Amino acid sequence: MWHGDFETDPDYQAKLYWADEFVRTEVEPLDLVWPHEQFVPLTGKRRDAIVPLKEKVRAQGLWATHLGPELGGQGHGQLKLALLNEILGRSSWAPIVFGCQAPDTGNAEILAHYGSPEQKKRYLRPLLDGELFSCYPMTEPQAGADRRQFRTTAVRDGDDWIIDGWKYFSSNARTATFLIVMAITDPEAGAYKGMSMFLVSADTPGVEIVREVRLYGEPEAAGQHALIKYNGVRVPNSALLGGEGQAFVIAQTRLGGGRIHHAMRTIGLAQKAQDMLCERALSRETAGSRLSDKQFVQGYIADSYAQLEQFRLLVLNTAWKIDNYNDYKKVRKDIAAVKSVMPTVLHDIAWRSMQVHGALGVTDEVPLMKMISGAAVMGLADGPTEVHKTIVARQVLRDYSPAEDVWPSEWIPRKRVAAHTKYAGYLEDEAHSR
């Protein structure tokens, strides 16, 4: 069901024009000056350069706009966020400069919803101000994201909890001040009611980062996805987030919004690949004509345009539904559909652009192979693509029923009999008139 246009008000559109120019001229250069340092706390010259950029964003009223005014944001709905995040998707540093980087946005959201006053005072305000970073260790080596196979436990010991287990691919653990750890607290209650979340300071004894995992193609020092061993980590009962057994509910609150925000930023990244594709096609000649005159390349351009527009409209429509329903559960099918489509869109457009760039396209002198590798990561982050497709299918099938007998409802012989029965009187008159 379609829901109309997605134009925004003129004042906000003016801010979007400002953000687009600001990201291109002031923020994208940071990706080349300080690559892989987005989640390293600001010090020295990096602080001198980046804090003024954050202040310019605040002056425009575009800092952490997903948060409500009580937390320093504008409380913008998902549709406005989609329009802004599309711009931010061009640059790895842009979410940091605009105060909306993952995983900190999701962690701030659940802290705001479920944190105690003490927890908010200690972690939320500095997190919102961009003065520290956080980590969300959930997946485990043997289980991936399947919480039914998690083994990390938190056992009561007087007024404390003792956490033991392993977590894998814990992004930004190396530079995080605190971690939000999901652990089994009641093995008998099952995966959905038997787990809790704990706020754990990164320097707590027993938190052991065994190694930092790099993504393919990253330099050795750039690894930021940790394998962590929790070896008798003792935390007080006040570290419990949202109450015992609440981990699943908290996770759903966090992940629903995060998935759609990833998609919003992916639009901007895919648009960058499309821009590169078109510029290259117009700039290069081979076999007597420009690449843009070759039908194969024209097919690349047309397919990429259509694929990106379809994805953009799917994301915007999903954002519109979230704003209007104010209930992530009602939009679960749409968010899962967005998540399952997202990696393919980025991969396909970046791959075509890489092909048109020729040998240059597979080097590190253009960002296309990084985009292609990033598309693979997107197919796994926040749940594998295949899992989200099964969610979509199950949700879609709820609106259907099986056929009443062995023949499908659109079986023509039966429908022909019904049609002739319905219009029998007219057919008899027609026969008599011949």
Side-chain angles (χ1 to χ4, degrees):
M1 182 178 179
W2 193 244
H3 298 287
D5 68 73
F6 301 113
E7 278 191 329
T8 190
D9 60 86
D11 289 343
Y12 190 65
Q13 185 59 56
K15 292 183 180 297
L16 293 176
Y17 288 140
W18 177 88
D20 185 61
E21 176 67 16
F22 180 74
V23 168
R24 290 173 187 269
T25 60
E26 302 293 332
V27 181
E28 284 193 62
L30 298 175
D31 297 341
L32 303 175
V33 176
W34 289 298
H36 311 297
E37 294 190 42
Q38 299 95 311
F39 291 96
V40 177
L42 294 177
T43 57
K45 295 299 182 183
R46 282 189 307 114
R47 171 175 284 276
D48 293 342
I50 293 167
V51 168
L53 298 181
K54 291 184 176 183
E55 292 306 317
K56 289 180 180 180
V57 171
R58 292 180 189 274
Q60 290 288 329
L62 292 175
W63 175 264
T65 58
H66 59 293
L67 298 171
E70 72 282 0
L71 297 175
Q74 300 295 318
H76 285 167
Q78 298 297 320
L79 189 53
K80 280 190 171 182
L81 289 177
L83 298 172
L84 177 61
N85 272 285
E86 179 177 339
I87 295 168
L88 305 188
R90 296 181 56 88
S91 164
S92 297
W93 269 96
I96 298 286
V97 174
F98 280 72
C100 58
Q101 71 277 3
D104 298 322
T105 48
N107 292 342
E109 185 175 357
I110 60 177
L111 268 172
H113 277 87
Y114 299 101
S116 67
E118 179 188 347
Q119 291 169 340
K120 291 178 182 179
K121 180 180 179 181
R122 183 175 180 183
Y123 293 121
L124 182 58
R125 178 48 57 190
L127 187 63
L128 295 175
D129 290 339
E131 292 299 322
L132 54 81
F133 298 106
S134 60
C135 176
Y136 183 72
M138 186 183 81
T139 57
E140 298 189 4
Q142 79 291 339
D146 186 355
R147 58 181 58 86
R148 292 167 297 185
Q149 298 186 51
F150 284 1
R151 298 173 185 167
T152 299
T153 60
V155 178
R156 277 191 179 275
D157 182 30
D159 293 331
D160 296 336
W161 293 86
I162 308 297
I163 303 174
D164 286 285
W166 292 81
K167 294 291 182 178
Y168 182 55
F169 220 77
S170 299
S171 302
N172 305 332
R174 174 165 53 92
T175 58
T177 299
F178 70 95
L179 311 98
I180 301 180
V181 183
M182 182 183 292
I184 299 168
T185 49
D186 184 355
E188 303 301 321
Y192 297 103
K193 294 183 179 180
M195 295 189 185
S196 305
M197 285 190 182
F198 296 87
L199 288 170
V200 180
S201 177
D203 60 3
T204 304
V207 177
E208 303 172 10
I209 295 180
V210 177
R211 69 175 183 271
E212 290 284 357
V213 179
R214 292 174 287 148
L215 299 180
Y216 183 79
E218 288 184 339
E220 187 170 349
Q224 55 181 339
H225 306 285
L227 173 65
I228 306 177
K229 182 179 182 181
Y230 295 85
N231 188 12
V233 177
R234 179 179 293 272
V235 295
N237 190 57
S238 60
L240 191 64
L241 179 63
E244 192 173 342
Q246 292 295 300
F248 178 75
V249 174
I250 296 172
Q252 290 305 109
T253 300
R254 183 188 184 281
L255 293 174
R259 286 166 180 151
I260 191 71
H261 295 164
H262 280 312
M264 295 169 183
R265 288 188 287 270
T266 300
I267 296 171
L269 198 56
Q271 182 65 61
K272 190 172 188 175
Q274 169 85 338
D275 293 344
M276 293 177 65
L277 166 59
C278 293
E279 180 190 70
R280 184 70 170 183
L282 290 169
S283 303
R284 298 284 288 186
E285 289 190 10
T286 184
S289 64
R290 290 188 304 183
L291 290 176
S292 59
D293 295 328
K294 312 296 185 184
Q295 288 184 336
F296 223 124
V297 175
Q298 290 172 350
Y300 279 174
I301 294 169
D303 288 345
S304 296
Y305 173 81
Q307 203 171 4
L308 183 54
E309 283 301 292
Q310 290 167 350
F311 181 59
R312 176 182 282 119
L313 291 173
L314 176 62
V315 172
L316 291 173
N317 195 41
T318 302
W320 183 93
K321 288 182 178 180
I322 295 172
D323 287 346
N324 281 268
Y325 298 153
N326 197 29
D327 184 350
Y328 281 116
K329 290 182 180 178
K330 288 187 177 181
V331 197
R332 188 183 182 200
K333 172 180 64 180
D334 306 271
I335 293 174
V338 164
K339 175 66 172 65
S340 65
V341 170
M342 174 174 61
T344 302
V345 172
L346 179 58
H347 170 275
D348 289 355
I349 298 174
W351 187 275
R352 296 181 194 117
S353 188
M354 178 269 291
Q355 289 287 102
V356 172
H357 277 75
L360 179 63
V362 297
T363 70
D364 62 0
E365 295 187 0
V366 292
L368 295 169
M369 290 304 295
K370 183 179 179 181
M371 293 182 191
I372 291 169
S373 176
V377 175
M378 289 178 184
L380 298 169
D382 290 344
T385 295
E386 293 77 9
V387 170
H388 289 284
K389 286 184 177 181
T390 65
I391 292 172
V392 174
R394 290 197 299 266
Q395 296 280 324
V396 168
L397 287 171
R398 289 179 179 179
D399 295 329
Y400 293 86
S401 301
E404 295 180 357
D405 56 32
V406 68
W407 305 110
S409 58
E410 291 298 322
W411 187 49
I412 289 177
R414 179 168 56 203
K415 296 192 75 170
R416 182 182 290 116
V417 171
H420 279 261
T421 300
K422 180 178 181 67
Y423 291 102
Y426 295 98
L427 295 174
E428 292 174 4
D429 292 342
E430 185 179 72
H432 291 154
S433 65
R434 290 176 180 173

